[in-house]
Amino acid sequence: MSATAGPRASGGEQEANPLNILLESGDPAGSSGYEQHPPRMGFFTDTSLCIGCKACEVACKEWNAVPEDGLNWTGNSHDNSGGLGADTWRHVAFVEQRVAVGEHEPNFQHLPAAGGDGADGFRWLMASDVCKHCTHAACLDVCPTGAIFRTEFGTVVVQQDICNGCGYCVPACPYGVLDKREDDGRIFKCTLCYDRLGAGQEPACAKACPTDSIQFGELDELRARAAGRVEQLQQAGVVQARLYGESPDDGVGGDGAFFLLLDEPEAYGLPPDPIVTTRDLPRMWRNVGLAAGALLAGAVASFAGARR
Amino acid sequence: MSEAEVTRDGLQGVRPGREARTWSQRDAAAGSRDGRAGARRRRRGREDEFASYYGKPIINLPVWEERDIAGYLFAGGLAGASSILAAGGELSARPRLARRCKLCASAALGVSLAALVHDLGRPERFLNMLRVFKPTSPMSVGSWLLGAYGPLNAAATASDVLGVAPRAGSAASVGAGALGAGVASYTGALIANTAVPAWHAGHRELPFLFVGSAASAAGGFALLAAPAQESAPARRMAIVGSAAELVAERLMERRLGMVAQALHEGSAGKRLKAAKALTAGGALGAAALAPRSRLAAALSGAALLAGSALTRFGLFEAGMASARDPKYTVEPQRERLRERTQATAAT
């Protein structure tokens, strides 16, 4: 079962959203006003190939001059950067699981317990997480300064000379990608190496990945490739293999950076069914208007009937 | 590939022979995908365990300071509703009620603006808020709203206190009252338009809850500060506002489902419980005792103000708590997926 299978509507309360033209288009660059634009670019991160080397984390830091993100030991397997944030734009998750394992499982050690059928093995899932560059990006919608913008490649980038550190995008992101750099005050996240893309180069993390777990390219091509890969894994008996974020029908209109996972998304710290909250904003604005009207009406009634 | 695993209990495991079966083959034979042990045990019913990533939050926690932003939610609401009372006092010839409410609105607005600018990572760039107007961003809409409301409010107050340009001052006061309703209600959308589970799940009720809380606070202030012969409308507004706040909160709790836990536990739970008691007590006092006793009116007003503040700080903390624990993010989403799968299966 794909975590993102099925129609986007949840609870049958979907409404047309006049506020956000992006919600009606699978072409984010085009609907952001680029008349001539290159194809939408993105990442396909195939976690079945990840060996947890963290070359992506290092390459990202080197290229983008991202400061260190805390020299500490978390005790959570080999993960010492914790999660995505202002100073961690690629994050390699290490999931240790006691499971019964198979002969051809990726990322496992073949260790059935001694004595009996228990088949108690150990599986190590590694996954390099990154900004999803959503089709309908909540961070971009809520940014009050216009600092966050859509590039011609369909990616989402924060302009550091505009951002005033209001922090609205931080809780708006359903994936927990953006965060404030405390000593700086502004918000930082993955740019999908906008500078490298402009020069016709692939992003630093994809360039550095030694196993091609991180694949960069045109999103349409990546989606086709991912569909083939998941089928290949399924046929090889890896029934847990599923794509995450590839479907344009999910709650964010599909991710520009999507994944092949070997377990439920939440095991990797990913939300199982993320939505862009802006899609509920028309109803919120309507209720804001009704509430303001009710307040004024209540005040009028309070004055109209009051004794002197 | 190593042959054995070192555990706390010593060396375990031997290399299996070629006949070792894979779990996928075994599960395929058993016709079950949930048959594997260890990683994830699912029970039937609502109490599902879910795999989390070391218990870490899924979303990043809001970086807003509680004192600044929860404080703004309270002060902004108080300012907006006070401006409405001031406009009402202006139009119904209750000059002392009007003046005190204008002063209250100006002070609360001053506190609000200071808190909002202080909370920015780059306070010197606060004017960037007015670079663009984006209806998709409640913060952008709110910035423009405050940008219009603030000067009107200041003009109305200055005209009243200094006694200059009374007609323009009255017009400004009415304008500030009209915009004040927006200032009091938009903050509901401001916090609801985030992935914070307790805030977003309450997006239908929050604007109503917040205007109720604002009316309760402004009415409470007027009970405390305005003379008894002019405060009757404020008293009525406080009672109606408190009732609206309590009803909206009840409806919101019912809608939240399991996320409502975040409103009942920890310091958020304590604050919201105290807020309800103060709001209900203040409203009862305003209804029953305030007309008879100046002291009772003042105490009721103070209770209403404290109740409104605690509501805002309680809901702020409830949102933070719901962001901290991944279960509030994962379980409702899992439930949504289950419903969708069932709906797809049914058709």
Side-chain angles (χ1 to χ4, degrees), chain A residues 9 35 44 46 60 62 69 78 110 113 126 134 152 184 186 214 216 247 254 258 280 307:
Chain A
E35 282 171 17
F44 166 43
D46 181 349
C60 175
E62 287 286 327
D69 45 12
H78 283 236
H110 200 154
M126 285 154 275
C134 307
E152 66 270 34
D184 181 286
R186 291 174 297 175
I214 300 172
F216 165 78
S247 167
F258 65 98
D280 297 320
R307 285 175 286 118

PDB file of all heavy atoms in Angstrom, chain A residues 9 35 44 46 60 62 69 78 110 113 126 134 152 184 186 214 216 247 254 258 280 307:
ATOM      1  N   ALA A   9      -8.916  14.224  -1.546  1.00  0.00           N
ATOM      2  CA  ALA A   9      -9.958  14.692  -0.646  1.00  0.00           C
ATOM      3  C   ALA A   9      -9.959  13.884   0.626  1.00  0.00           C
ATOM      4  O   ALA A   9      -9.832  12.677   0.614  1.00  0.00           O
ATOM      5  CB  ALA A   9     -11.310  14.566  -1.328  1.00  0.00           C
ATOM      6  N   GLU A  35       6.617  32.066 -17.942  1.00  0.00           N
ATOM      7  CA  GLU A  35       6.009  31.660 -19.207  1.00  0.00           C
ATOM      8  C   GLU A  35       6.870  30.621 -19.899  1.00  0.00           C
ATOM      9  O   GLU A  35       6.388  29.619 -20.393  1.00  0.00           O
ATOM     10  CB  GLU A  35       5.796  32.889 -20.097  1.00  0.00           C
ATOM     11  CG  GLU A  35       4.561  33.669 -19.653  1.00  0.00           C
ATOM     12  CD  GLU A  35       4.428  34.992 -20.363  1.00  0.00           C
ATOM     13  OE1 GLU A  35       5.081  35.181 -21.416  1.00  0.00           O
ATOM     14  OE2 GLU A  35       3.673  35.845 -19.858  1.00  0.00           O
ATOM     15  N   PHE A  44      14.752  11.944  -6.591  1.00  0.00           N
ATOM     16  CA  PHE A  44      14.170  10.666  -6.200  1.00  0.00           C
ATOM     17  C   PHE A  44      15.191  10.010  -5.283  1.00  0.00           C
ATOM     18  O   PHE A  44      16.295   9.678  -5.709  1.00  0.00           O
ATOM     19  CB  PHE A  44      13.881   9.804  -7.435  1.00  0.00           C
ATOM     20  CG  PHE A  44      13.607   8.357  -7.101  1.00  0.00           C
ATOM     21  CD1 PHE A  44      12.796   8.013  -6.021  1.00  0.00           C
ATOM     22  CD2 PHE A  44      14.159   7.335  -7.870  1.00  0.00           C
ATOM     23  CE1 PHE A  44      12.548   6.683  -5.710  1.00  0.00           C
ATOM     24  CE2 PHE A  44      13.914   6.008  -7.564  1.00  0.00           C
ATOM     25  CZ  PHE A  44      13.117   5.674  -6.480  1.00  0.00           C
ATOM     26  N   ASP A  46      16.099   6.932  -3.354  1.00  0.00           N
ATOM     27  CA  ASP A  46      15.797   5.502  -3.254  1.00  0.00           C
ATOM     28  C   ASP A  46      16.500   4.969  -2.010  1.00  0.00           C
ATOM     29  O   ASP A  46      17.693   4.672  -2.032  1.00  0.00           O
ATOM     30  CB  ASP A  46      16.299   4.809  -4.526  1.00  0.00           C
ATOM     31  CG  ASP A  46      16.008   3.312  -4.508  1.00  0.00           C
ATOM     32  OD1 ASP A  46      15.612   2.794  -3.441  1.00  0.00           O
ATOM     33  OD2 ASP A  46      16.182   2.671  -5.561  1.00  0.00           O
ATOM     34  N   CYS A  60      26.398  18.824   1.077  1.00  0.00           N
ATOM     35  CA  CYS A  60      25.458  19.941   1.197  1.00  0.00           C
ATOM     36  C   CYS A  60      26.057  21.048   2.044  1.00  0.00           C
ATOM     37  O   CYS A  60      26.007  22.227   1.700  1.00  0.00           O
ATOM     38  CB  CYS A  60      24.159  19.442   1.816  1.00  0.00           C
ATOM     39  SG  CYS A  60      22.985  20.760   2.153  1.00  0.00           S
ATOM     40  N   GLU A  62      29.221  21.622   2.659  1.00  0.00           N
ATOM     41  CA  GLU A  62      30.367  22.227   1.992  1.00  0.00           C
ATOM     42  C   GLU A  62      29.914  23.216   0.925  1.00  0.00           C
ATOM     43  O   GLU A  62      30.359  24.353   0.886  1.00  0.00           O
ATOM     44  CB  GLU A  62      31.231  21.134   1.347  1.00  0.00           C
ATOM     45  CG  GLU A  62      32.018  20.303   2.338  1.00  0.00           C
ATOM     46  CD  GLU A  62      33.191  21.083   2.904  1.00  0.00           C
ATOM     47  OE1 GLU A  62      33.760  21.915   2.193  1.00  0.00           O
ATOM     48  OE2 GLU A  62      33.525  20.839   4.090  1.00  0.00           O
ATOM     49  N   ASP A  69      25.871  21.646  12.853  1.00  0.00           N
ATOM     50  CA  ASP A  69      24.545  21.549  13.460  1.00  0.00           C
ATOM     51  C   ASP A  69      24.595  20.871  14.820  1.00  0.00           C
ATOM     52  O   ASP A  69      23.681  20.157  15.207  1.00  0.00           O
ATOM     53  CB  ASP A  69      23.568  20.829  12.533  1.00  0.00           C
ATOM     54  CG  ASP A  69      24.179  19.576  11.912  1.00  0.00           C
ATOM     55  OD1 ASP A  69      25.254  19.154  12.385  1.00  0.00           O
ATOM     56  OD2 ASP A  69      23.593  19.033  10.970  1.00  0.00           O
ATOM     57  N   HIS A  78      23.310   5.783  14.297  1.00  0.00           N
ATOM     58  CA  HIS A  78      24.397   6.632  13.793  1.00  0.00           C
ATOM     59  C   HIS A  78      23.921   8.026  13.436  1.00  0.00           C
ATOM     60  O   HIS A  78      24.623   8.770  12.756  1.00  0.00           O
ATOM     61  CB  HIS A  78      25.037   5.968  12.575  1.00  0.00           C
ATOM     62  CG  HIS A  78      25.957   4.848  12.933  1.00  0.00           C
ATOM     63  ND1 HIS A  78      27.264   4.803  12.531  1.00  0.00           N
ATOM     64  CD2 HIS A  78      25.760   3.755  13.689  1.00  0.00           C
ATOM     65  CE1 HIS A  78      27.831   3.715  13.011  1.00  0.00           C
ATOM     66  NE2 HIS A  78      26.935   3.057  13.713  1.00  0.00           N
ATOM     67  N   HIS A 110      21.828 -10.596   7.979  1.00  0.00           N
ATOM     68  CA  HIS A 110      21.152 -11.882   7.910  1.00  0.00           C
ATOM     69  C   HIS A 110      21.426 -12.668   9.180  1.00  0.00           C
ATOM     70  O   HIS A 110      22.382 -13.417   9.275  1.00  0.00           O
ATOM     71  CB  HIS A 110      21.699 -12.620   6.690  1.00  0.00           C
ATOM     72  CG  HIS A 110      20.780 -13.701   6.243  1.00  0.00           C
ATOM     73  ND1 HIS A 110      20.737 -14.144   4.963  1.00  0.00           N
ATOM     74  CD2 HIS A 110      19.850 -14.403   6.899  1.00  0.00           C
ATOM     75  CE1 HIS A 110      19.830 -15.106   4.858  1.00  0.00           C
ATOM     76  NE2 HIS A 110      19.284 -15.276   6.019  1.00  0.00           N
ATOM     77  N   ALA A 113      17.883 -15.767  14.904  1.00  0.00           N
ATOM     78  CA  ALA A 113      18.332 -16.139  16.239  1.00  0.00           C
ATOM     79  C   ALA A 113      18.681 -17.622  16.277  1.00  0.00           C
ATOM     80  O   ALA A 113      18.125 -18.423  15.548  1.00  0.00           O
ATOM     81  CB  ALA A 113      17.231 -15.844  17.247  1.00  0.00           C
ATOM     82  N   MET A 126      18.193   3.063   6.244  1.00  0.00           N
ATOM     83  CA  MET A 126      18.824   4.377   6.175  1.00  0.00           C
ATOM     84  C   MET A 126      18.129   5.179   5.091  1.00  0.00           C
ATOM     85  O   MET A 126      17.749   4.624   4.055  1.00  0.00           O
ATOM     86  CB  MET A 126      20.314   4.232   5.865  1.00  0.00           C
ATOM     87  CG  MET A 126      21.104   3.755   7.067  1.00  0.00           C
ATOM     88  SD  MET A 126      22.595   2.884   6.640  1.00  0.00           S
ATOM     89  CE  MET A 126      22.007   1.243   6.398  1.00  0.00           C
ATOM     90  N   CYS A 134       7.417  20.918  -2.345  1.00  0.00           N
ATOM     91  CA  CYS A 134       6.028  20.542  -2.620  1.00  0.00           C
ATOM     92  C   CYS A 134       5.451  21.293  -3.819  1.00  0.00           C
ATOM     93  O   CYS A 134       5.797  22.446  -4.076  1.00  0.00           O
ATOM     94  CB  CYS A 134       5.148  20.868  -1.413  1.00  0.00           C
ATOM     95  SG  CYS A 134       5.711  20.184   0.138  1.00  0.00           S
ATOM     96  N   GLU A 152      12.134  28.846 -11.372  1.00  0.00           N
ATOM     97  CA  GLU A 152      11.724  28.385 -12.702  1.00  0.00           C
ATOM     98  C   GLU A 152      11.815  26.869 -12.818  1.00  0.00           C
ATOM     99  O   GLU A 152      11.226  26.268 -13.705  1.00  0.00           O
ATOM    100  CB  GLU A 152      12.574  29.068 -13.781  1.00  0.00           C
ATOM    101  CG  GLU A 152      14.062  28.706 -13.774  1.00  0.00           C
ATOM    102  CD  GLU A 152      14.898  29.625 -12.890  1.00  0.00           C
ATOM    103  OE1 GLU A 152      14.373  30.067 -11.840  1.00  0.00           O
ATOM    104  OE2 GLU A 152      16.062  29.879 -13.227  1.00  0.00           O
ATOM    105  N   ASP A 184      21.337  33.745  13.882  1.00  0.00           N
ATOM    106  CA  ASP A 184      21.184  34.576  12.700  1.00  0.00           C
ATOM    107  C   ASP A 184      19.797  35.210  12.667  1.00  0.00           C
ATOM    108  O   ASP A 184      19.634  36.369  12.281  1.00  0.00           O
ATOM    109  CB  ASP A 184      21.391  33.693  11.455  1.00  0.00           C
ATOM    110  CG  ASP A 184      21.264  34.474  10.158  1.00  0.00           C
ATOM    111  OD1 ASP A 184      20.134  34.834   9.773  1.00  0.00           O
ATOM    112  OD2 ASP A 184      22.306  34.751   9.541  1.00  0.00           O
ATOM    113  N   ARG A 186      17.256  34.249  10.853  1.00  0.00           N
ATOM    114  CA  ARG A 186      16.486  33.992   9.642  1.00  0.00           C
ATOM    115  C   ARG A 186      16.208  32.492   9.489  1.00  0.00           C
ATOM    116  O   ARG A 186      16.735  31.668  10.210  1.00  0.00           O
ATOM    117  CB  ARG A 186      17.247  34.510   8.417  1.00  0.00           C
ATOM    118  CG  ARG A 186      17.314  36.014   8.374  1.00  0.00           C
ATOM    119  CD  ARG A 186      18.194  36.496   7.237  1.00  0.00           C
ATOM    120  NE  ARG A 186      19.584  36.066   7.407  1.00  0.00           N
ATOM    121  CZ  ARG A 186      20.538  36.276   6.502  1.00  0.00           C
ATOM    122  NH1 ARG A 186      20.252  36.893   5.388  1.00  0.00           N
ATOM    123  NH2 ARG A 186      21.770  35.859   6.729  1.00  0.00           N
ATOM    124  N   ILE A 214      20.451   8.952  -4.059  1.00  0.00           N
ATOM    125  CA  ILE A 214      19.881  10.256  -4.386  1.00  0.00           C
ATOM    126  C   ILE A 214      20.021  10.468  -5.882  1.00  0.00           C
ATOM    127  O   ILE A 214      21.130  10.533  -6.401  1.00  0.00           O
ATOM    128  CB  ILE A 214      20.609  11.388  -3.628  1.00  0.00           C
ATOM    129  CG1 ILE A 214      20.497  11.177  -2.119  1.00  0.00           C
ATOM    130  CG2 ILE A 214      20.036  12.736  -4.034  1.00  0.00           C
ATOM    131  CD1 ILE A 214      21.344  12.143  -1.316  1.00  0.00           C
ATOM    132  N   PHE A 216      18.926  12.829  -9.145  1.00  0.00           N
ATOM    133  CA  PHE A 216      18.417  14.145  -9.514  1.00  0.00           C
ATOM    134  C   PHE A 216      18.023  14.120 -10.974  1.00  0.00           C
ATOM    135  O   PHE A 216      18.667  13.449 -11.781  1.00  0.00           O
ATOM    136  CB  PHE A 216      19.509  15.203  -9.275  1.00  0.00           C
ATOM    137  CG  PHE A 216      19.230  16.513  -9.948  1.00  0.00           C
ATOM    138  CD1 PHE A 216      18.310  17.396  -9.399  1.00  0.00           C
ATOM    139  CD2 PHE A 216      19.872  16.861 -11.134  1.00  0.00           C
ATOM    140  CE1 PHE A 216      18.043  18.609 -10.021  1.00  0.00           C
ATOM    141  CE2 PHE A 216      19.611  18.075 -11.753  1.00  0.00           C
ATOM    142  CZ  PHE A 216      18.695  18.944 -11.198  1.00  0.00           C
ATOM    143  N   SER A 247       2.995  10.927  -5.636  1.00  0.00           N
ATOM    144  CA  SER A 247       1.688  11.049  -6.279  1.00  0.00           C
ATOM    145  C   SER A 247       1.209  12.495  -6.311  1.00  0.00           C
ATOM    146  O   SER A 247       1.135  13.152  -5.278  1.00  0.00           O
ATOM    147  CB  SER A 247       0.669  10.198  -5.518  1.00  0.00           C
ATOM    148  OG  SER A 247      -0.634  10.539  -5.947  1.00  0.00           O
ATOM    149  N   GLY A 254       1.852  16.383  -4.515  1.00  0.00           N
ATOM    150  CA  GLY A 254       3.057  15.682  -4.932  1.00  0.00           C
ATOM    151  C   GLY A 254       4.301  16.448  -4.540  1.00  0.00           C
ATOM    152  O   GLY A 254       4.311  17.678  -4.509  1.00  0.00           O
ATOM    153  N   PHE A 258      10.873  13.110  -3.822  1.00  0.00           N
ATOM    154  CA  PHE A 258      10.102  11.993  -3.273  1.00  0.00           C
ATOM    155  C   PHE A 258      11.015  10.806  -3.004  1.00  0.00           C
ATOM    156  O   PHE A 258      12.204  10.837  -3.315  1.00  0.00           O
ATOM    157  CB  PHE A 258       8.930  11.640  -4.193  1.00  0.00           C
ATOM    158  CG  PHE A 258       9.337  11.122  -5.545  1.00  0.00           C
ATOM    159  CD1 PHE A 258       9.376   9.756  -5.792  1.00  0.00           C
ATOM    160  CD2 PHE A 258       9.676  11.991  -6.562  1.00  0.00           C
ATOM    161  CE1 PHE A 258       9.759   9.271  -7.036  1.00  0.00           C
ATOM    162  CE2 PHE A 258      10.062  11.518  -7.804  1.00  0.00           C
ATOM    163  CZ  PHE A 258      10.101  10.153  -8.034  1.00  0.00           C
ATOM    164  N   ASP A 280      -7.364  24.673   3.403  1.00  0.00           N
ATOM    165  CA  ASP A 280      -8.498  24.947   4.284  1.00  0.00           C
ATOM    166  C   ASP A 280      -8.669  26.445   4.540  1.00  0.00           C
ATOM    167  O   ASP A 280      -9.567  26.850   5.272  1.00  0.00           O
ATOM    168  CB  ASP A 280      -8.317  24.245   5.636  1.00  0.00           C
ATOM    169  CG  ASP A 280      -8.281  22.737   5.485  1.00  0.00           C
ATOM    170  OD1 ASP A 280      -9.062  22.214   4.672  1.00  0.00           O
ATOM    171  OD2 ASP A 280      -7.470  22.092   6.167  1.00  0.00           O
ATOM    172  N   ARG A 307     -29.378  49.625  29.394  1.00  0.00           N
ATOM    173  CA  ARG A 307     -30.008  50.690  30.171  1.00  0.00           C
ATOM    174  C   ARG A 307     -28.995  51.811  30.417  1.00  0.00           C
ATOM    175  O   ARG A 307     -27.793  51.586  30.446  1.00  0.00           O
ATOM    176  CB  ARG A 307     -30.487  50.144  31.519  1.00  0.00           C
ATOM    177  CG  ARG A 307     -31.733  49.308  31.432  1.00  0.00           C
ATOM    178  CD  ARG A 307     -32.067  48.717  32.785  1.00  0.00           C
ATOM    179  NE  ARG A 307     -31.177  47.616  33.148  1.00  0.00           N
ATOM    180  CZ  ARG A 307     -30.369  47.651  34.211  1.00  0.00           C
ATOM    181  NH1 ARG A 307     -30.328  48.693  34.991  1.00  0.00           N
ATOM    182  NH2 ARG A 307     -29.604  46.615  34.486  1.00  0.00           N
TER     183      ARG A 307
END
